[in-house]
Amino acid sequence: CNISMTIDPERYKQRPLTNEEVFKYSCDVCFVGAFDQNRERILSKVKEIEGLNLKIFGWIGWKKSSLVSLYHGPLNLEQMVKLYGCAKICLNINGRNKSTDPVMNGVSLKTFEIPASSGFQISDYRKDVDDLFKIGEEIEIFRSDDELIDKIKFYLSHEEERNKIAKAGHERVLRDHTLDKRVKEILDSIQTN
């Protein structure tokens, strides 16, 4: 078990938002993270979806990218939770230098933070995600740019399915991926050995 890949549910609870916060964080698709060329390439394709409201938050490297007009600055944890609760789709694009780099094991903390915040997540495929969530029921994944675009279009027009997956993902995180749960698993493992 990897204790670092857990969440404290109390820190990810949705809190009431002001009208200004609703305006700031509401969007069709959001991405939070550091700039890299692969992310810029993928998000540039997402941006081309007609009528899409895409917002990018994170490190200031985005200020020097071709997507600077979509960059809305850095976020602290409380702000990120609000964003994930307001956005219709939260993208999780794990860091890779190029789209041709092999699919890797492991997932980022966002894999847990998005559903903990009651957000709907589409993540690039990582080998370990199968052991953490039910794909298509608790999380959505993409293996190619075209698949991502198709899934964004589908879920933007299918709110009920999107909300069902977000709810199931949230329940899964609270059931299986909290710090308390991981500590209990470790202690149980120690006691049986």
Side-chain angles (χ1 to χ4, degrees), residues 26-114:
S26 291
C27 57
D28 295 324
V29 178
C30 75
F31 173 78
V32 179
F35 169 83
D36 74 32
Q37 291 178 339
N38 189 52
R39 289 171 172 169
E40 180 182 36
R41 181 189 60 73
I42 292 169
L43 292 170
S44 292
K45 291 185 178 191
V46 170
K47 175 185 125 178
E48 293 177 13
I49 297 172
E50 190 174 334
L52 185 80
N53 180 3
L54 169 64
K55 293 184 178 180
I56 299 171
F57 294 85
W59 289 258
I60 61 171
W62 290 104
K63 285 186 174 183
K64 295 180 180 176
S65 78
S66 63
L67 301 172
V68 64
S69 65
L70 303 174
Y71 176 65
H72 294 268
L75 298 174
N76 62 33
L77 179 61
E78 182 181 332
Q79 294 166 326
M80 187 177 66
V81 169
K82 291 174 181 179
L83 171 66
Y84 289 156
C86 285
K88 293 177 183 175
I89 296 173
C90 306
L91 293 184
N92 182 3
I93 306 169
N94 290 279
R96 295 193 306 176
N97 292 326
K98 301 179 291 232
S99 62
T100 56
D101 286 352
V103 173
M104 298 173 62
N105 291 330
V107 297
S108 69
L109 188 55
K110 282 183 188 58
T111 308
F112 304 98
E113 290 177 325
I114 293 168

Side-chain angles (χ1 to χ4, degrees), residues 15-27:
R15 311 271 193 262
L17 278 75
T18 65
N19 289 340
E20 181 180 312
E21 288 172 324
V22 170
F23 178 76
K24 179 177 181 177
Y25 300 124
S26 291
C27 57

Side-chain angles (χ1 to χ4, degrees), residues 110-126:
K110 282 183 188 58
T111 308
F112 304 98
E113 290 177 325
I114 293 168
S117 304
S118 300
F120 170 77
Q121 176 175 200
I122 301 179
S123 177
D124 57 346
Y125 180 71
R126 309 289 277 195

Side-chain angles (χ1 to χ4, degrees), residues 1-3 5-6 131-132 172-193:
C1 285
N2 184 346
I3 282 197
M5 289 298 166
T6 63
D131 297 328
L132 300 167
R172 179 69 180 265
V173 166
L174 296 183
R175 184 177 66 245
D176 294 336
H177 303 305
T178 64
L179 184 58
D180 290 346
K181 173 82 174 178
R182 290 287 197 276
V183 170
K184 183 180 181 329
E185 288 172 359
I186 290 169
L187 293 175
D188 288 349
S189 172
I190 291 169
Q191 289 175 353
T192 52
N193 291 331

